Amino acid sequence: MISSPVAPSPSDAVTTFLNAKKFAFLIHLRHTYSDDMGLYWKPLRKIPNKVYRKIFTKLQAPSVKWSDIYLNGSAGEKWHIGRNEIILLNGKDILDQGPKNMSKNIERVIDKMTQKGYTNIGLGALTSPMTLGGALLKHRQDVSITNGNAFTATGLFRAIVKLLEASPNLMDHQTIVGATGSVGSCLAGLLVKKNYCDKLLLVARNLSKLEKLKNDLKSINPNVQIEVSNQISEIRKSNLITLLTASADNIIGPEILKSNAVILDGTQPRNTSPELLVQRPDVTVIDGGIISIPGITMSNGGIGLPLNHYYACFSETLLWALDGQSEHFSIGNPTLEQAEYMDTLARKYKMFGFELADFTSFGKPLTNSFIS
């Protein structure tokens, strides 16, 4: 049973740190090896991509520390609370390994982290689907594991609410691509339960899973009109499209988008490309699942986001560790209760931030007039 947290005062920052668990958040290279390694140290960009790929794919997915994470005190103190641990494979090569092989590699990384004293593990980006949302790691009783998907669904829901407040017509027809996945199904549940959609299109590969999800959602709110499809081209009906697939490719072409469509891209690696905005300047692409946490600091420039901006899956791991939790949290598909509980934890620790970040598009401030 999840107990209801009580909000601390800002003077409790030291107590929060002392009660917190140390966590490691698992990430991986996202795009070309040369570009991503260059973010760590600029000279590494000069090494050809094919050299990196040949070495890293043969090393059974080794990992290295990408950055340390510090909790900021009110008087300028900084306390080490965690680290980002990066697996040296990009998204495509991780998907090529498949869940069976990749989960074994991820377990080796977890072994390394536990030996270093980290008790809480967060699954970032494709490390979550490659372990079936952490289900393949559920047997681990020596660490607390969360896939970050509960707060990711919450963060995306917050973003959709903000968009609908700015432009109510977006509510007329929404789509979730990757709807049967861990985040997609939870987000759909939040939208339906809280009545933030009139017509909702669910897109995924498996029609039987889509029909089951549709029936589950109709039992929550029978008044919402829900359609299902396994064809990505069906998104041309929608004003607002949320992307949540586990694909490493840009799957959205300019020809299948409605005029003035808004895309909330919650994928890593991304399902959209900056070229889309060149081809379709009427379309708005918003980076999804981004949370503002000015109360922490990352060494080494963080993970490629603007200052104080962090992915919601990382934020969930941080919240769980700050709260001193030692059991598994979000494993497989998160429940609506878990998503709502994460929202409660975010309010409990709002002294550090955990608010929806200002909207960005491909990492740059959003200039679209209907939101600003």
Side-chain angles (χ1 to χ4, degrees):
M1 176 66 67
I2 296 174
S3 59
S4 180
V6 178
S9 67
S11 62
D12 287 335
V14 174
T15 302
T16 299
F17 167 69
L18 292 175
N19 291 335
K21 302 289 187 180
K22 288 187 69 176
F23 74 94
F25 185 65
L26 307 189
I27 55 178
H28 57 78
L29 299 170
R30 291 180 294 177
H31 306 296
T32 64
Y33 289 103
S34 300
D35 288 344
D36 282 354
M37 293 302 294
L39 292 174
Y40 187 81
W41 188 43
K42 287 184 179 180
L44 294 177
R45 193 184 298 270
K46 297 179 181 179
I47 299 175
N49 194 62
K50 62 181 180 180
V51 174
Y52 279 123
R53 188 173 188 274
K54 183 176 182 179
I55 295 173
F56 290 164
T57 54
K58 289 184 178 181
L59 290 180
Q60 295 286 314
S63 67
V64 297
K65 180 174 71 175
W66 183 263
S67 56
D68 284 307
I69 301 155
Y70 300 89
L71 191 67
N72 301 333
S74 57
E77 311 97 328
K78 292 186 186 297
W79 305 292
H80 183 256
I81 191 173
R83 70 193 272 173
N84 289 311
E85 185 75 7
I86 192 163
I87 294 171
L88 299 177
L89 288 174
N90 67 12
K92 183 179 184 304
D93 288 327
I94 283 178
L95 290 172
D96 286 346
Q97 287 208 17
K100 183 177 180 179
N101 291 329
M102 198 63 217
S103 62
K104 292 178 181 178
N105 292 334
I106 290 171
E107 279 220 63
R108 283 193 285 269
V109 177
I110 292 174
D111 290 339
K112 174 183 172 181
M113 293 297 96
T114 58
Q115 291 167 11
K116 293 182 177 293
Y118 294 91
T119 59
N120 289 42
I121 304 295
L123 302 174
L126 293 178
T127 66
S128 176
M130 286 297 100
T131 58
L132 305 184
L136 297 178
L137 305 172
K138 197 173 182 178
H139 63 279
R140 298 288 301 244
Q141 298 302 310
D142 54 336
V143 291
S144 168
I145 294 173
T146 186
N147 58 30
N149 291 340
F151 198 50
T152 299
T154 296
L156 290 163
F157 176 75
R158 288 181 181 184
I160 289 173
V161 171
K162 183 177 179 179
L163 288 168
L164 296 179
E165 289 173 348
S167 184
N169 72 292
L170 296 177
M171 192 166 173
D172 294 345
H173 198 294
Q174 297 183 53
T175 292
I176 299 175
V177 181
T180 57
S182 183
V183 179
S185 58
C186 188
L187 175 61
L190 289 172
L191 289 171
V192 168
K193 178 180 179 181
K194 298 178 184 295
N195 206 28
Y196 273 95
C197 55
D198 293 332
K199 296 179 182 178
L200 182 62
L201 172 63
L202 307 174
V203 177
R205 294 177 180 177
N206 190 312
L207 278 175
S208 62
K209 289 183 178 180
L210 283 168
E211 288 292 345
K212 182 182 183 305
L213 177 59
K214 176 182 176 180
N215 292 333
D216 291 343
L217 294 173
K218 293 293 283 186
S219 69
I220 296 172
N221 185 347
N223 296 321
V224 178
Q225 297 182 46
I226 300 175
E227 300 175 326
V228 299
S229 177
N230 60 1
Q231 300 297 317
I232 190 68
S233 59
E234 290 296 305
I235 69 172
R236 62 168 48 93
K237 302 176 182 178
S238 283
N239 304 316
L240 175 59
I241 302 148
T242 303
L243 301 179
L244 294 169
T245 81
S247 172
D249 300 319
N250 298 321
I251 64 171
I252 304 299
E255 72 284 353
I256 60 173
L257 293 170
K258 188 176 182 179
S259 178
N260 299 309
V262 176
I263 299 173
L264 186 62
D265 191 347
T267 60
Q268 285 296 328
R270 297 188 66 119
N271 289 168
T272 54
S273 161
E275 285 71 30
L276 177 63
L277 299 182
V278 177
Q279 299 165 318
R280 287 291 303 273
D282 61 304
V283 169
T284 301
V285 177
I286 298 171
D287 304 329
I290 310 297
I291 305 297
S292 173
I293 319 176
I296 66 166
T297 301
M298 279 190 190
S299 65
N300 193 34
I303 49 179
L305 292 175
L307 182 65
N308 298 331
H309 285 49
Y310 302 94
Y311 294 114
C313 51
F314 166 87
S315 305
E316 176 172 306
T317 309
L318 174 58
L319 282 168
W320 200 237
L322 286 179
D323 211 48
Q325 301 289 347
S326 57
E327 68 272 18
H328 298 325
F329 182 61
S330 180
I331 298 291
N333 285 12
T335 65
L336 293 182
E337 182 189 21
Q338 287 175 320
E340 290 167 346
Y341 181 72
M342 269 295 132
D343 195 49
T344 305
L345 274 189
R347 293 195 300 272
K348 175 179 178 179
Y349 293 104
K350 65 180 181 180
M351 55 196 262
F352 301 111
F354 297 104
E355 301 284 352
L356 183 67
D358 291 339
F359 285 142
T360 57
S361 182
F362 298 100
K364 298 179 180 179
L366 187 68
T367 57
N368 192 304
S369 59
F370 80 83
I371 297 169
S372 56

